[in-house]
Amino acid sequence: MSHVFGRHSMTSPRRASIGKGAYIYDAEGKQYFDGSGGAAVSCLGHSDQDVIAAIQKQAAQLAYAHTSFFTSDPAEELADRLVAVAPGDLEKVYFVSGGSEAVEAALKLARQYFVEIGQPERHRFIARRQSYHGNTLGALATGGNEWRKQAFAPIMVDTSLISPCYAYRGQQEGETLFDYGQRVANELETELQRLGPETVIAFVAEPVVGATLGAVAPVEGYFRRIREICDQYGILLILDEVMCGMGRTGSLFAHEQEGITADIVTIAKGLGAGYQPIGAMMCTSAIHDAIANGTGFFQHGHTYIGHPTACAAGNAVVSKLTGGLVAQCAAMGEKLQNALHTAFGQHPHIGDIRGRGLFIGLEVVEDRADKRPFDPSAATHKKLKQHAFDNGLLCYPMGGTIDGRTGDHILLAPPFIIEDAQIDEIVTKLEKTFSAVL
């Protein structure tokens, strides 16, 4: 009997034993292709010797120092590295241990910013339905993942939610993609006017929606309109790149492809590539300076922020990403999407294949012609996950794609080191899985 408090009390997970390249091996020696990087984490695969060496070197020199007393070389170097490649005026980096912490820090900083500049009446956030921003109470409240929020709703702050930019389900007949994007973006302005814009702190969104929708990218012009509305009403734009950032969509920061800048950006997952728990919140100099020139103290903090060993791992990871792996992700992502379209583009139960880079979603439907989803009671996503696992493929299926209850999708996020033969392996194992389940 295990004394580990696992994710699900009714199942006993296999014990992972070895990670090598794009594969994980269990204790019995069975091989699994990591087609989702865990949860879009393992962008470098599982045995990168440069990252391992960086961790070992730093742990031997200085494993940990509390940031109330010290900064460290790895933290300073990683912050410099990130600021040098970040879009816009993201000038300050606040290191944490993961994505939920990064979002929580972003929400608190955004609120404190307005308190510092004399606008304490701003206390509301606006986000989107079918979004996910983390599992701490603040991050969970800001997201639109209803099944995750339901049990905890009475103890969470209220957040306004508008429509996602989800053209496969939302575009109306006769409406161009651009007009659709403008229509759903303008819901932000409508909600601001309903609430009173002077009460709103920020709009929070994933540039490419990950776990809840399955790699849904925005249509052309959507985020430019969002940025215009934020500027018009004086609210902040917080972009959550915890899952879609750090090269996953084919550019280091996902919102680079939208031609906009953000006030606050959160990153994690691919920042440490799974080798160490690390995340970060990046903000503009204007936001930081409001604190620096006011109270001088960001009223937040965790024990392991700025962890030297974690930052050393992040340095090694980002060096590799900017050294050519992001471009490789874009190229291999195009190959994988082409292979998936060839194999499943006309599949009667695959309604949509979407995404950017090596961040790809397949929406699973009962009827492709009318986009009708499977009955939620069928738990199709759970069956797909189990059969894929049995076939030696780790992927990330989810249910509730459409409204939190109905709809199923599979998310793929393989490591950037993927090879052509492994693209064929993904397709072959998905074919076998679909044949068994669908």
Side-chain angles (χ1 to χ4, degrees), residues 305-366:
I305 63 176
H307 194 282
T309 309
C311 288
N315 260 310
V317 171
V318 176
S319 176
K320 292 212 155 193
L321 294 179
T322 55
L325 274 181
V326 173
Q328 183 171 324
C329 172
M332 296 307 289
E334 184 176 354
K335 286 186 178 182
L336 178 55
Q337 287 215 41
N338 289 339
L340 292 169
H341 278 284
T342 299
F344 308 118
Q346 299 302 315
H347 192 289
H349 297 300
I350 303 300
D352 192 29
I353 300 171
R354 59 199 178 222
R356 289 180 181 169
L358 285 169
F359 199 47
I360 302 169
L362 296 88
E363 185 156 340
V364 179
V365 294
E366 186 171 7

Side-chain angles (χ1 to χ4, degrees), residues 87-88 218 220-221 223-225 227 237 239 251 253-262 356:
E220 173 68 25
F223 270 109
R224 286 197 294 274
R225 178 59 184 142
R227 178 75 264 185
L237 177 58
L239 294 182
S251 56
F253 289 83
H255 71 279
E256 292 178 48
Q257 299 178 47
E258 304 309 315
I260 61 164
T261 59
R356 289 180 181 169

Side-chain angles (χ1 to χ4, degrees), residues 224-265:
R224 286 197 294 274
R225 178 59 184 142
I226 290 291
R227 178 75 264 185
E228 288 174 357
I229 295 169
C230 290
D231 291 342
Q232 180 181 348
Y233 290 92
I235 68 170
L236 301 178
L237 177 58
I238 301 175
L239 294 182
D240 176 0
E241 297 207 2
V242 166
M243 185 172 261
C244 65
M246 292 293 98
R248 176 57 63 183
T249 62
S251 56
L252 190 64
F253 289 83
H255 71 279
E256 292 178 48
Q257 299 178 47
E258 304 309 315
I260 61 164
T261 59
D263 300 297
I264 299 175
V265 174

Side-chain angles (χ1 to χ4, degrees), residues 183-231:
R183 175 168 62 82
V184 291
N186 284 330
E187 288 187 23
L188 174 58
E189 183 171 34
T190 300
E191 186 63 10
L192 279 164
Q193 292 172 341
R194 186 186 76 82
L195 296 172
E198 71 283 354
T199 69
V200 177
I201 294 172
F203 178 63
V204 186
E206 301 160 89
V208 180
V209 185
T212 306
L213 278 183
V216 170
V219 301
E220 173 68 25
Y222 170 81
F223 270 109
R224 286 197 294 274
R225 178 59 184 142
I226 290 291
R227 178 75 264 185
E228 288 174 357
I229 295 169
C230 290
D231 291 342

Side-chain angles (χ1 to χ4, degrees), residues 21-302:
Y23 296 92
I24 290 179
Y25 299 81
D26 68 20
E28 285 73 45
K30 182 175 177 179
Q31 174 182 282
Y32 304 84
F33 182 80
D34 194 356
S36 61
V41 174
S42 300
C43 55
L44 302 186
H46 295 282
S47 53
D48 189 287
Q49 294 304 304
D50 294 328
V51 183
I52 293 168
I55 293 169
Q56 292 172 331
K57 179 180 177 181
Q58 185 58 43
Q61 181 175 326
L62 173 70
Y64 169 70
H66 198 281
T67 53
S68 66
F69 302 103
F70 298 104
T71 185
S72 68
D73 287 342
E76 296 293 335
E77 290 165 11
L78 182 54
D80 289 346
R81 193 184 299 273
L82 289 169
V83 167
V85 294
D89 185 31
L90 297 170
E91 291 285 343
K92 294 292 181 178
V93 187
Y94 189 91
F95 292 114
V96 291
S97 297
S100 296
E101 282 188 23
V103 172
E104 200 80 12
L107 301 177
K108 291 179 76 173
L109 177 64
R111 163 62 182 171
Q112 186 174 338
Y113 164 73
F114 281 112
V115 172
E116 298 271 4
I117 65 171
Q119 298 181 34
E121 67 276 8
R122 291 187 183 267
H123 64 282
R124 301 178 185 272
F125 291 96
I126 302 175
R128 300 188 294 186
R129 292 187 291 276
Q130 293 305 96
S131 60
Y132 178 62
H133 298 298
N135 251 341
T136 55
L137 284 174
L140 190 62
T142 310
N145 190 312
E146 291 304 321
W147 74 266
R148 292 181 192 262
K149 294 171 66 171
Q150 188 174 13
F152 308 103
I155 58 172
M156 290 192 298
V157 296
D158 188 35
T159 301
S160 293
L161 300 174
I162 63 173
S163 296
C165 188
Y166 181 17
Y168 175 68
R169 292 285 177 184
Q171 185 182 8
Q172 297 174 355
E173 186 176 353
E175 187 176 41
T176 67
L177 280 174
F178 179 82
D179 288 342
Y180 162 71
Q182 299 299 291
R183 175 168 62 82
V184 291
N186 284 330
E187 288 187 23
L188 174 58
E189 183 171 34
T190 300
E191 186 63 10
L192 279 164
Q193 292 172 341
R194 186 186 76 82
L195 296 172
E198 71 283 354
T199 69
V200 177
I201 294 172
F203 178 63
V204 186
E206 301 160 89
V208 180
V209 185
T212 306
L213 278 183
V216 170
V219 301
E220 173 68 25
Y222 170 81
F223 270 109
R224 286 197 294 274
R225 178 59 184 142
I226 290 291
R227 178 75 264 185
E228 288 174 357
I229 295 169
C230 290
D231 291 342
Q232 180 181 348
Y233 290 92
I235 68 170
L236 301 178
L237 177 58
I238 301 175
L239 294 182
D240 176 0
E241 297 207 2
V242 166
M243 185 172 261
C244 65
M246 292 293 98
R248 176 57 63 183
T249 62
S251 56
L252 190 64
F253 289 83
H255 71 279
E256 292 178 48
Q257 299 178 47
E258 304 309 315
I260 61 164
T261 59
D263 300 297
I264 299 175
V265 174
T266 60
I267 53 178
K269 296 188 183 291
L271 178 61
Y275 290 86
Q276 286 281 282
I278 186 170
M281 172 196 68
M282 302 183 68
C283 71
T284 63
S285 54
I287 293 173
H288 172 267
D289 290 349
I291 309 294
N293 297 327
T295 63
F297 173 63
F298 177 31
Q299 198 169 326
H300 187 56
H302 296 284

